[in-house]
Amino acid sequence: MKYIEDFKEDDRIIEHYLCKSRQSLRSKSGKAYLSLKLVDKTGMIDAKVWDMTNDIQSFEENDFIKIDGLVTSFQNDLQLKVTKIRKSQEGEYQPMDYIPCTDKDIASLYSQLTDVIASVSNPHIRELLEIIIVRDEYIKEAVQTHSAAKANHHSYMGGLLEHTLSVVGICEFLSPRYKYVNRDILIAGAILHDIAKVYELSPFPSNDYTDDGQLLGHIVIGSELITKAAAEIPGFPPRLAALLKHCVLSHHGEFEYGSPKLPQTIEAFILYTADNADAKITMFEEALQAGNPQSAWAGYSKIFGRNVRRTTF
């Protein structure tokens, strides 16, 4: 298996990959061509099919395909010029080679999450977290296998769990350093802020938006999960439920980033800050990792709109 992370310019690639996206486009001269995104567990690469010959057989998005192509460079990014494609046959590939996964132990991460839940002192909040994270069999399984995003950050198996624990850790660090912070509400918000990604995104290998993801989104679905779980707990304080839901509803921080509410409690504001920090720093990490390993300058990041540099001397 020739992994995408090992591609170098002028390599000839004859191998199986997952076709993540497929677009039929036309060049400025009116010539039809295909623009593809091919993935394996190490990354994604743009691919172009400039000549639609009989060597380009029928295939769709999310098909495994065998390609014959040449690695080229375009605007300082590697790209594949593909001349042959056919659908892969069962047995020709190992599906796990095409699912990006955290390099951390997923069982250990989930154990850390349940330990954090056990540390919550408020019995109502602790039981609500147990209902959603521990007792719901679908969520218990899905939170360990889902990504935190379709792209950009933590977009790999186990990414949701890894991101959640990172945000929890930042919130744990900040909580005792400021006045007026309710640690249990903050930690619960950190655990629950993205939990509905298990409904917003489909499982791998597609890792794409579901109907509920498109129509409702994880912020709304997450708030609904809190409402449902709180209703199962006798005497759950309505104001406490509202404060927890507010953390989820405002964690994107700004209306233009999809938050229906702006953070209006100190816990919600810390959660927004922690979530934003972990997502952005992880994207910076990924930009450094994707860049030329032989150069201190990793290259131009479209997400950040700047060239990024490794701190080497």
Side-chain angles (χ1 to χ4, degrees):
M1 176 76 189
K2 179 79 169 179
Y3 290 116
I4 290 170
E5 69 176 1
D6 298 323
F7 284 7
K8 296 185 291 295
E9 191 173 0
D10 296 326
D11 281 351
R12 184 180 178 192
I13 306 298
I14 303 175
E15 191 54 87
H16 300 269
Y17 298 99
L18 176 64
C19 178
K20 189 65 176 176
S21 74
R22 178 188 192 277
Q23 291 182 290
S24 297
L25 304 174
R26 288 192 177 276
S27 66
K28 291 180 181 179
S29 64
K31 183 179 179 181
Y33 71 96
L34 293 180
S35 179
L36 315 175
K37 290 189 183 298
L38 306 182
V39 300
D40 63 24
K41 67 180 182 181
T42 69
M44 178 185 296
I45 190 167
D46 287 328
K48 297 292 188 284
V49 180
W50 298 111
D51 297 309
M52 303 297 294
T53 68
N54 292 334
D55 287 326
I56 307 300
Q57 299 180 16
S58 177
F59 68 98
E60 303 294 336
E61 285 187 359
N62 294 316
D63 280 342
F64 290 97
I65 58 175
K66 185 175 184 180
I67 63 100
D68 185 342
L70 183 70
V71 180
T72 62
S73 180
F74 178 71
Q75 295 182 344
N76 295 319
D77 287 329
L78 294 181
Q79 189 178 90
L80 271 174
K81 179 183 178 182
V82 178
T83 55
K84 293 182 181 179
I85 296 179
R86 69 165 173 83
K87 284 180 69 170
S88 305
Q89 303 299 312
E90 244 183 270
E92 290 185 319
Y93 59 91
Q94 294 293 328
M96 290 305 292
D97 285 336
Y98 304 88
I99 298 177
C101 186
T102 177
D103 58 3
K104 300 175 176 63
D105 182 78
I106 291 177
S108 175
L109 292 179
Y110 184 73
S111 178
Q112 292 175 47
L113 184 62
T114 57
D115 286 346
V116 174
I117 292 172
S119 76
V120 172
S121 58
N122 183 295
H124 288 111
I125 297 177
R126 186 172 62 250
E127 186 170 2
L128 181 138
L129 292 172
E130 288 174 351
I131 287 171
I132 296 173
I133 304 293
V134 180
R135 300 180 202 169
D136 187 304
E137 290 298 327
Y138 174 75
I139 293 178
K140 179 180 178 179
E141 175 69 25
V143 75
Q144 298 179 65
T145 57
H146 265 64
S147 73
K150 180 180 176 180
N152 292 337
H153 74 94
H154 298 93
S155 55
Y156 44 79
M157 183 178 286
L160 175 57
L161 189 51
E162 187 179 320
H163 171 60
T164 298
L165 281 170
S166 291
V167 174
V168 167
I170 296 170
C171 290
E172 286 275 33
F173 176 81
L174 294 175
S175 174
R177 285 164 170 78
Y178 298 96
K179 298 177 183 178
Y180 314 116
V181 178
N182 183 307
R183 184 260 182 191
D184 287 349
I185 289 176
L186 176 58
I187 295 305
I191 292 172
L192 296 173
H193 79 284
D194 271 354
I195 193 62
K197 292 284 183 77
V198 303
Y199 296 108
E200 182 178 63
L201 295 168
S202 58
F204 283 98
S206 61
N207 190 44
D208 206 349
Y209 289 106
T210 63
D211 281 351
D212 281 354
Q214 294 277 14
L215 297 171
L216 303 174
H218 72 281
I219 290 177
V220 171
I221 301 170
S223 177
E224 291 175 343
L225 288 173
I226 294 172
T227 299
K228 181 174 179 292
E232 297 178 29
I233 302 171
F236 198 101
R239 184 170 296 172
L240 178 57
L243 289 168
L244 292 172
K245 288 190 286 186
H246 177 70
C247 286
V248 171
L249 291 169
S250 65
H251 79 268
H252 279 190
E254 302 288 348
F255 294 133
E256 57 263 40
Y257 298 136
S259 271
K261 297 296 292 182
L262 301 179
Q264 292 174 276
T265 67
I266 193 167
E267 295 83 10
F269 190 81
I270 292 173
L271 174 60
Y272 150 64
T273 304
D275 178 48
N276 186 55
D278 185 59
K280 294 288 176 57
I281 293 169
T282 299
M283 285 189 276
F284 212 104
E285 276 186 327
E286 291 171 354
L288 293 174
Q289 183 177 355
N292 181 357
Q294 307 303 319
S295 172
W297 286 96
Y300 184 81
S301 166
K302 294 178 182 177
I303 291 174
F304 292 104
R306 69 200 73 167
N307 286 312
V308 297
R309 190 190 194 281
R310 296 181 182 85
T311 312
T312 57
F313 296 90

